[in-house]
Amino acid sequence: MMFPHTVTVYTITEDPETADVTTNITVVTGVLFDGSKAANVRASGLEGADAVNLYIPFDAVSVDGVTGAEKAYIRPRAFAEALDTSGYWTMDPGNTFFVLGEIVNPDMTFREINGKYDNVHLITKVDTKDFGGLRHFEVGGR
């Protein structure tokens, strides 16, 4: 199987008026997790190179981490402007992190999850590869 992994994506948003913080948790199956920091450092010469690459086909299955309801991907700006984000998920560098595996902890912060689990990564980039026979997102994380 070319995409054997599952990740849990956490997007953190804050309401500008009330300062309420919301965590949107999505479990995405049918992805490829490639931990390749050494190769990235060799190729780029940058110690700060992405530690991992995550490949998410457009047709990967994504469900709400708490309810199990199916979700659709939307871009970060559309997600931020949506009145109800319960049926959607996004990947917004700086506000999103992912964990390898199905790790759903709605009451934990990034710091707590990172302290408890391996393979927790902040998203640093999201490239959309919308061409050819394998349309996908290429996600960088550190």
Side-chain angles (χ1 to χ4, degrees):
M1 178 187 281
M2 189 169 173
F3 297 96
H5 301 119
T6 296
V7 293
T8 306
V9 178
Y10 287 74
T11 299
I12 312 299
T13 55
E14 182 176 332
D15 185 305
E17 294 178 14
T18 65
D20 289 337
V21 174
T22 303
T23 303
N24 183 293
I25 304 172
T26 305
V27 176
V28 185
T29 56
V31 304
L32 178 64
F33 175 89
D34 180 19
S36 57
K37 182 173 180 70
N40 288 341
V41 170
R42 276 193 306 275
S44 69
L46 300 174
E47 185 59 36
D50 291 335
V52 299
N53 283 315
L54 178 64
Y55 302 93
I56 305 176
F58 286 3
D59 63 357
V61 176
S62 53
V63 298
D64 187 281
V66 177
T67 68
E70 284 193 38
K71 292 172 118 179
Y73 178 84
I74 58 175
R75 297 199 180 277
R77 183 168 290 150
F79 187 86
E81 293 172 357
L83 297 176
D84 179 11
T85 60
S86 61
Y88 301 103
W89 69 287
T90 197
M91 295 177 288
D92 184 9
N95 295 319
T96 305
F97 67 94
F98 65 90
V99 186
L100 181 61
E102 186 171 343
I103 309 294
V104 178
N105 289 305
D107 299 324
M108 292 177 76
T109 64
F110 167 76
R111 180 173 285 201
E112 293 168 326
I113 291 172
N114 193 33
K116 185 173 181 177
Y117 299 100
D118 291 325
N119 291 310
V120 179
H121 302 278
L122 290 168
I123 290 180
T124 57
K125 69 172 180 119
V126 178
D127 290 333
T128 303
K129 307 294 185 179
D130 192 5
F131 54 84
L134 182 58
R135 298 168 50 226
H136 65 282
F137 298 105
E138 186 174 315
V139 181
R142 61 174 170 87

